[in-house]
Amino acid sequence: MSNRARLIVPAVVACVLGAPAWAAEGAPEGVSGEPQSAVWTDKELNFVYMGFTTRYSCDGLRDKVRDVLLDLGAEKKDLKVMQMGCSSPSGRPDPFPGVRVKMRVLQPADAPDAKPTDQPPVAAHWKPLDLKLRDSFGIDSGECELVEQIRHKIVPLFATRNVDLKTTCVPHQASAARPSLKMEVLVADDAQHPAGEPQAAR
């Protein structure tokens, strides 16, 4: 083998072996899977919390739901979360606190419920999410019932996959371990989900 060949072969091997590392370094943090074309879609929701273990004030529930919606990828500028059917004074626990939601969420451009829009599709990606209710969720396992209701009534409005809910809810009794709700959510490539405002007392 000539001296020139001895120099070229190691260089080619180094390029091939090094390519995956370069690709990984250039990928956006938190991206899962291939890029996805998506469109913003209008959604509405009436959510009434019914639980036995933990009770919430109407404004406290409103703030928690708002934070969850932002974490799941709702567009912040058009998000409206309004109290509904509340009978207790502000800051006091309500028997059946509720909220009415109007929002825009991302759906894959080829999804059956992706309605036609004048706006062009946006670049999106799947992002892993460990959903937490801010402030108290890390220490208060009494929110198990709320987490279950979020999973069944709110999460289906978003583009998600690999949803994994682990709870051991027992009425009138705080769970020994905090509930776990993990999934992948579809978010815009330039999406930012800032923390919500300080929540009112439950």
Side-chain angles (χ1 to χ4, degrees), residues 3-198:
N3 289 337
R4 184 179 180 184
R6 292 192 185 96
L7 294 174
I8 293 176
V9 171
V12 171
V13 172
C15 289
V16 172
L17 294 178
W22 299 338
E25 291 175 0
E29 183 180 356
V31 171
S32 175
E34 296 298 321
Q36 177 81 53
S37 177
V39 293
W40 289 106
T41 303
D42 293 330
K43 297 281 186 177
E44 294 188 10
L45 165 70
N46 289 337
F47 177 77
V48 177
Y49 169 75
M50 293 180 285
F52 300 97
T53 306
T54 303
R55 298 177 65 185
Y56 301 90
S57 63
C58 285
D59 41 2
L61 179 69
R62 177 200 61 205
D63 292 343
K64 285 182 180 292
V65 169
R66 181 179 185 276
D67 286 341
V68 166
L69 297 174
L70 290 173
D71 286 339
L72 286 168
E75 190 176 42
K76 184 178 181 181
K77 68 175 184 177
D78 289 323
L79 178 59
K80 296 180 180 179
V81 185
M82 300 157 284
Q83 299 178 23
M84 179 185 71
C86 299
S87 58
S88 299
S90 177
R92 299 290 298 275
D94 195 275
F96 301 104
V99 293
R100 178 179 294 109
V101 176
K102 292 184 178 181
M103 61 183 175
R104 299 179 72 208
V105 305
L106 279 179
Q107 296 290 323
D110 57 355
D113 59 344
K115 299 179 181 179
T117 176
D118 294 335
Q119 299 183 2
V122 300
H125 61 272
W126 293 100
K127 176 183 177 181
L129 174 65
D130 182 358
L131 193 62
K132 294 179 173 66
L133 304 185
R134 296 192 180 98
D135 293 342
S136 61
F137 185 67
I139 57 176
D140 185 1
S141 57
E143 296 193 301
C144 185
E145 294 166 323
L146 178 57
V147 173
E148 283 191 337
Q149 293 178 39
I150 288 171
R151 164 64 184 96
H152 297 297
K153 298 179 182 179
I154 295 180
V155 171
L157 297 178
F158 292 81
T160 61
R161 65 185 189 184
N162 301 325
V163 180
D164 182 20
L165 171 65
K166 294 179 180 178
T167 62
T168 54
C169 297
V170 179
H172 306 292
Q173 179 179 330
S175 172
R178 80 169 182 87
S180 172
L181 180 53
K182 299 181 180 181
M183 69 198 79
E184 290 179 277
V185 297
L186 189 64
V187 298
D189 285 353
D190 60 349
Q192 299 292 330
H193 304 306
E197 299 175 357

